[in-house]
Amino acid sequence: MAIKSADNRPVGIFDSGIGGLTIVDSVVRLLPSERVVFYGDTAHLPYGDKSSHAIRTYSRNIVEYLIRQDCKAIIIACNTASAVAFRELERSFGGEMAIINVIDPVVKFTLQQVTNGSIGVIGTRRTIRTGIYPRRLRTLRKNVQVTAHATPLLAPMIEEGFFNNKISQTIINNYLSRPGLNEIEALILACTHYPLIRPEIERYYGGKVNVIDSTDAVAQELKSELEKRRQLADHSFPDHDFLVSDFTASFQETTKIFFREKVKLQERRISE
C-alpha cells in the first residue's frame, strides 16, 4: 500500500499592512492543515502612496524572505501589489512555486456569477487608478460593462473599528450611490479590508446585487494549486507565524478586527 505523502512547508501570505489577514482567515478555514507565514509590511503602508518601483522592490524583498522561510506557495494579499508587482514576481519565482494574486481569482469567479449585466468595482485610489480590474474582466469577456470607483475612506474607517454602525453605513451608502453603481449585477470588493463591511454593502443593495470579495476565491485558488502540485499538508494543529516590518500596539490591537483568532505579531525587518 502506497504511503500518502504530504508537504508541510508553510504557505506565505503578504500584504502592505494587516488587512490581508482576511485572506489568512479564509485560507485557514478552507485548509486547516496548512501552516501560514503572514508578513505585513506595516513600515511602508499604504502601498497606494508609493511609486510602482518601490512597490515592486518591497514585494520582491518580501517574497525572497518568504522563500527563505521555505514557503511552498505565496499569496499576494494586497490589491495594489497584485496590480503592480505580480507579473514580475511570477516571472522571477513562478517556476518554482505557485504565486497567487488577489485579482485574477475574483475576476474569474465574478464572471461565473453574472450573465449580461454590468459589474461594479470599489477599492483604494491606487488600485482603481491602475485600471487592472476592468482590463482583466474585459480580457475574459470583451463586452462586459465595468464601473470602477475609488472609495478611499473605507480602509482607514475599518482599521479604526468603524463598521457595522450608523457612521460606516452612511459613508458606504454615500459611495455606493455614485453613478454606475446602482444598475449593476455584481460588485467586486477590491480591497482585503472590505470583507468586513460586506454585510453593510449587501444591506444597501437589499440582496439585488451579488457582492463579491476575494477571500474565498483566493483560498480556493490556493487549494487548487496545492492539489495540482501535490503539496497539501497534513498538520494536525499548524502553528502560524504573524510578522510585521514595524510593530506597534495599535497594529496588534487591529489584528482582532481582521482575524477571528487572537494573534501575536512579531517584528521582522527585511533589508531593502
Side-chain angles (χ1 to χ4, degrees):
M1 181 177 178
I3 299 175
K4 183 181 178 181
S5 61
D7 188 339
N8 286 324
R9 292 179 296 160
V11 172
I13 301 177
F14 79 91
D15 186 19
S16 55
I18 55 178
L21 288 172
T22 56
I23 299 288
V24 178
D25 184 49
S26 284
V27 167
V28 300
R29 283 188 288 112
L30 181 66
L31 299 166
S33 294
E34 296 297 335
R35 176 174 168 248
V36 169
V37 176
F38 173 80
Y39 192 92
D41 193 11
T42 51
H44 297 120
L45 70 84
Y47 277 11
D49 294 339
K50 306 298 187 297
S51 68
S52 295
H53 173 76
I55 294 167
R56 285 192 288 267
T57 299
Y58 300 151
S59 299
R60 173 175 282 274
N61 289 341
I62 295 169
V63 169
E64 289 175 346
Y65 172 79
L66 292 174
I67 289 174
R68 293 196 296 273
Q69 306 314 300
D70 200 27
C71 290
K72 61 187 176 184
I74 292 176
I75 296 175
I76 309 170
C78 170
N79 276 269
T80 301
S82 291
V84 174
F86 170 67
R87 293 304 182 201
E88 180 178 315
L89 295 174
E90 187 180 46
R91 284 194 299 269
S92 298
F93 307 107
E96 53 193 281
M97 62 173 57
I99 306 287
I100 298 170
N101 66 72
V102 292
I103 297 172
D104 290 328
V106 75
V107 163
K108 288 186 287 186
F109 179 78
T110 300
L111 289 175
Q112 292 169 2
Q113 308 305 307
V114 300
T115 52
N116 295 321
S118 60
I119 297 170
V121 183
I122 58 172
T124 64
R125 282 197 180 99
R126 181 58 184 266
T127 297
I128 298 303
R129 196 182 304 133
T130 66
I132 189 72
Y133 277 92
R135 285 201 307 274
R136 297 284 172 84
L137 287 162
R138 288 167 183 150
T139 296
L140 297 179
R141 189 181 296 179
K142 291 184 179 180
N143 63 343
V144 70
Q145 298 177 24
V146 185
T147 301
H149 278 296
T151 50
L153 290 179
L154 296 185
M157 176 189 79
I158 294 165
E159 288 196 358
E160 290 297 323
F162 285 99
F163 57 97
N164 278 330
N165 58 41
K166 290 182 180 179
I167 295 173
S168 60
Q169 190 71 64
T170 298
I171 294 172
I172 290 165
N173 292 355
N174 183 270
Y175 276 135
L176 298 181
S177 64
R178 290 179 174 181
L181 289 181
N182 280 309
E183 302 300 322
I184 55 175
E185 187 175 353
L187 178 72
I188 295 175
L189 309 185
C191 175
T192 52
H193 286 63
Y194 294 0
L196 295 175
I197 57 171
R198 181 171 173 171
E200 295 174 270
I201 293 172
E202 290 175 330
R203 192 177 303 128
Y204 173 84
Y205 285 115
K208 297 178 181 179
V209 171
N210 192 348
V211 180
I212 301 170
D213 67 65
S214 61
T215 54
D216 290 343
V218 170
Q220 187 61 55
E221 182 77 6
L222 173 66
K223 182 175 185 286
S224 298
E225 283 293 331
L226 295 181
E227 287 175 338
K228 182 173 66 177
R229 296 166 184 259
R230 299 183 180 180
Q231 291 181 326
L232 288 170
D234 63 356
H235 288 107
S236 296
F237 300 99
D239 188 16
H240 309 302
D241 289 329
F242 299 91
L243 313 172
V244 290
S245 53
D246 183 34
F247 176 86
T248 67
S250 63
F251 285 139
Q252 178 66 71
E253 185 68 21
T254 305
T255 61
K256 297 176 184 177
I257 295 174
F258 296 102
F259 196 64
R260 297 178 184 221
E261 302 174 18
K262 184 178 180 180
V263 304
K264 182 180 179 181
L265 297 179
Q266 304 173 57
E267 184 171 288
R268 199 66 49 84
R269 293 186 179 271
I270 300 174
S271 59
E272 298 177 11

